[in-house]
Amino acid sequence: METTKILIGYAIYLPIALFLTYYVSRTLFKNSKIYMLDIFKGREEIANATNKLFETGFYLLNLGFALMILEMNLYNDSYQLLIEKLSYKIGGFTIYLGLMLFLNLYFFFRGKRKARENQNQQNAIA
């Protein structure tokens, strides 16, 4: 019976982890195009390419982590333990996604700041 509950847990966890990763990624990278265009001074081709590379890396890191923490051991044959394990895993993964979101935002703002500093240096020289 324990194996059945573990499979139920996997069947619940995996779609939720995949959906959360997709939702956060789409939201982040749809809105980050503005920052990329600003960083790359309106050069849309390089801004879109860089944004796509960030998005691909985001997917790889997050899906890899979601699969890495997949293991679920249920020593007590109860649905209560299954729900508690799922909430712990999904909650932990959600916190991880939030941290990755803020890390990416940091990189976007840092890139924007560096672009502004370079622009100010070029204006001072001219």
Side-chain angles (χ1 to χ4, degrees):
M1 194 67 162
E2 178 185 326
T3 304
T4 304
K5 286 191 178 73
I6 290 173
L7 291 176
I8 290 169
Y10 292 159
I12 293 170
Y13 169 76
L14 282 172
I16 291 173
L18 293 173
F19 172 75
L20 285 172
T21 301
Y22 173 78
Y23 177 75
V24 171
S25 177
R26 294 302 328 142
T27 303
L28 175 64
F29 292 102
K30 182 179 74 167
N31 294 310
S32 67
K33 287 181 183 179
I34 296 167
Y35 294 102
M36 289 296 185
L37 285 170
D38 188 35
I39 291 167
F40 293 108
K41 299 177 181 92
R43 295 183 302 185
E44 192 168 340
E45 190 173 294
I46 194 165
N48 287 336
T50 304
N51 198 43
K52 196 65 178 170
L53 289 172
F54 266 102
E55 183 179 13
T56 302
F58 187 84
Y59 274 123
L60 289 173
L61 284 171
N62 294 312
L63 292 176
F65 186 74
L67 293 172
M68 192 177 79
I69 66 169
L70 178 67
E71 183 182 359
M72 197 176 301
N73 295 314
L74 299 174
Y75 300 108
N76 183 355
D77 189 24
S78 73
Y79 285 104
Q80 176 186 351
L81 184 63
L82 173 63
I83 291 170
E84 289 170 358
K85 283 278 193 181
L86 280 171
S87 68
Y88 183 80
K89 286 213 179 276
I90 293 168
F93 184 67
T94 304
I95 291 169
Y96 169 79
L97 275 176
L99 291 172
M100 291 302 292
L101 172 76
F102 286 119
L103 180 65
N104 274 285
L105 286 174
Y106 167 76
F107 286 134
F108 294 142
F109 286 123
R110 183 174 172 217
K112 185 175 178 175
R113 183 175 42 98
K114 289 287 187 186
R116 190 178 319 121
E117 287 173 5
N118 288 341
Q119 184 66 33
N120 290 340
Q121 287 175 353
Q122 288 176 356
N123 289 341
I125 294 172

